[in-house]
Amino acid sequence: MKTNYIQSLFAAFLCAAACAGFTACESDTIETSGGKKPDQEALQNVYGKLRSNASAGNSINVLLSQGEGFDTRDFYFQQTKPAAETVTLTARADASLVDAYNEDEETERILLPAQNYEFPDGTSFDLSKDAQRSLLKRVKFLASGLNPGQYVLPLTVAEEGTPDDNKTLYYNITVRQPQLGDTELYKGDDLFFVFYINTDQYQPLLVDEYFISCGINPSADYYWYRTVGNIVNLRTVRLDHQAESGRAILSLGDDMTYVLGQAVKYIRPLQDKGRKVCISIEGAGSGLGFCNLTDAQIADFTAQVKTVIDTYQLDGVNLWDRNSGYGKEGMPAMNTTSYPKLIKSLREALGAERLLTLTVYEQPTESFHDVDACGGIAVGDYIDYAWSGYNDPEELENLLLDPYHPELDYVSTHTQGPIANLPKERFGCINFPTRSSSSEDPEYLIEWIEGGYQPNNIVVFSDLQTNLQDAYETTWHAKFALFCDLVDPNSWLYSFDDDHMYNFDLNRGLGNYPEKGGYGKWLKDWK
């Protein structure tokens, strides 16, 4: 059950980590136990402690999935008083501490093998003169070769033979077995699916109910059946404004906070199949958004995003600047450099391992073709993919946004030039609505594809839904199956000999198979 405690704890941790900025900063006060008042000599002593931003204590939990994944945590050293002179410390794993730790914690954890951890920044670090806190160092945990089970890595800066819990961190590593299910993920080159799912309404596990089959005759060699969704963007996460401090705040909201806190249930099964699960960030209507941030707000907000991605082992971030409420009294005007700076900052913080994607939408992204307008930043150098954000089912003519061929009379009426330095193979021109009030097929797609304008096979879905009793659950289903056939040059529509025809099976087991759950099966199961 969701509790205020979980939310408060996360909020406090997020704020502390963001303020720390993942660098040296002002010290935190080290807590002391109550009881007898210490004498003057004790008060004059200096005490130090090995700490991590991931925990208030000296025990840090790390979750890995069996396979080739990894996770990263930090550590630093802090004293009760500034150092009188520079001190060099060296972190090391101490296998001799495992037995005592297991006894105290009543566990049976195994020492993590040496090949399953590494220190990207080295193991030696300095506590500078007149400083109370060192710079952060990182330890990277590698799942390769590990069997499912419980492991521990005691990391210490205490001298050998003199164990000291104040100078030791215990990383508790749990390796879980992937939940692959009965149907594998479609990873072919013909189609690449991007999904959005709104956690205010649905469990992310709804994604696993979306399937695609290929072929007409199930007994044929070329017939296959797969679940789909290569990238899954979870929403709603917002960039909000904290009036008292002026900070740009990453607001998860109750539903996303709960989902992330239960990542093993809601997110890991999607990742196990090979999907990339990201958070999608948009505006909060406060008047502060991606396009009017100061440099200090960008640095602070970037740190908050990185904390969430690292803590919950997500695969990246999608940026969709909508609903920001620009133009409110007292808020800065929009400019064309803030958003590119934020993108560059996030890429540098998240590294190459994480996805950074962009949803093109209205004025915030219109200048991304112009490097000079973006302050010298070529946005395409810092993102992995971009795609259209226009998916209003009442405006079918705007579902196709082709920045490379604006002269076509059936391309969206919205203006967007090619994003500077982003290869066209990584821009999704179609954002398909999951609901449509029109029975007309978007026939212009056939002309666009047959004309050779299609740059790739990226297919973007707006918010997924279950087979609720809306009037259009079959209308868009049939249209999307047709679209899948159109984008694949080997499909049945182009080659009658191959019988290579797609069928998009919406929510298999929901509406048509009541015994497997019926309508609303994957509505959120929390309050």
Side-chain angles (χ1 to χ4, degrees), residues 467 507-521:
N467 265 354
N507 302 154
R508 178 177 181 265
L510 296 181
N512 298 326
Y513 301 88
E515 70 276 5
K516 293 189 177 182
Y519 287 98
K521 175 182 176 182

Side-chain angles (χ1 to χ4, degrees), residues 314-326:
L314 300 172
D315 297 299
V317 176
N318 170 249
L319 300 175
W320 191 340
D321 194 351
R322 59 177 176 175
N323 305 321
S324 291
Y326 293 117

Side-chain angles (χ1 to χ4, degrees), residues 52-268:
S52 171
N53 279 315
S55 174
N58 68 342
S59 180
I60 299 100
N61 295 324
V62 179
L63 178 65
L64 297 174
S65 294
Q66 185 181 21
E68 299 299 322
F70 69 91
D71 196 12
T72 304
R73 292 290 187 270
D74 63 50
F75 60 92
Y76 62 93
F77 193 76
Q78 184 173 350
Q79 291 191 162
T80 53
K81 291 183 179 181
E85 57 186 19
T86 298
V87 178
T88 299
L89 302 167
T90 301
R92 59 183 176 83
D94 191 341
S96 68
L97 301 176
V98 173
D99 289 342
Y101 178 72
N102 279 334
E103 183 176 351
D104 290 343
E105 298 295 321
E106 297 182 351
T107 64
E108 295 182 4
R109 292 184 176 271
I110 303 170
L111 177 67
L112 185 69
Q115 65 267 24
N116 289 103
Y117 61 89
E118 57 188 38
F119 299 92
D121 311 311
T123 56
S124 295
F125 54 106
D126 293 335
L127 182 64
S128 302
K129 182 181 179 180
D130 298 327
Q132 287 182 251
R133 174 173 169 163
S134 72
L135 293 175
L136 288 181
K137 293 288 184 176
R138 294 173 296 163
V139 53
K140 183 175 182 179
F141 301 97
L142 309 169
S144 179
L146 289 178
N147 293 322
Q150 308 288 322
Y151 301 83
V152 63
L153 177 68
L155 186 70
T156 186
V157 293
E159 295 181 7
E160 289 193 49
T162 57
D164 185 343
D165 270 355
N166 282 327
K167 297 181 179 180
T168 304
L169 293 174
Y170 295 90
Y171 293 93
N172 296 322
I173 299 96
T174 299
V175 180
R176 56 182 288 277
Q177 190 169 9
Q179 302 173 39
L180 298 179
D182 298 327
T183 308
E184 66 180 275
L185 178 68
Y186 172 66
K187 301 177 182 178
D189 296 328
D190 294 331
L191 298 165
F192 186 90
F193 296 88
V194 179
F195 286 167
Y196 285 86
I197 187 163
N198 188 349
T199 60
D200 295 353
Q201 299 176 353
Y202 297 112
Q203 303 174 43
L205 297 176
L206 170 61
V207 171
D208 255 345
E209 297 284 1
Y210 279 73
F211 294 83
I212 192 170
S213 60
C214 182
I216 295 177
N217 184 356
S219 65
D221 293 337
Y222 47 77
Y223 186 90
W224 50 256
Y225 195 78
R226 302 283 188 272
T227 185
V228 289
N230 303 85
I231 296 176
V232 178
N233 293 314
L234 304 179
R235 52 179 302 268
T236 304
V237 178
R238 297 179 174 90
L239 185 158
D240 208 346
H241 178 245
Q242 190 178 70
E244 301 80 16
S245 65
R247 294 178 64 201
I249 297 295
L250 183 70
S251 176
L252 297 177
D254 290 345
D255 293 302
M256 186 65 73
T257 298
Y258 184 79
V259 166
L260 294 180
Q262 303 292 323
V264 171
K265 175 181 179 180
Y266 296 115
I267 296 176
R268 300 294 174 254

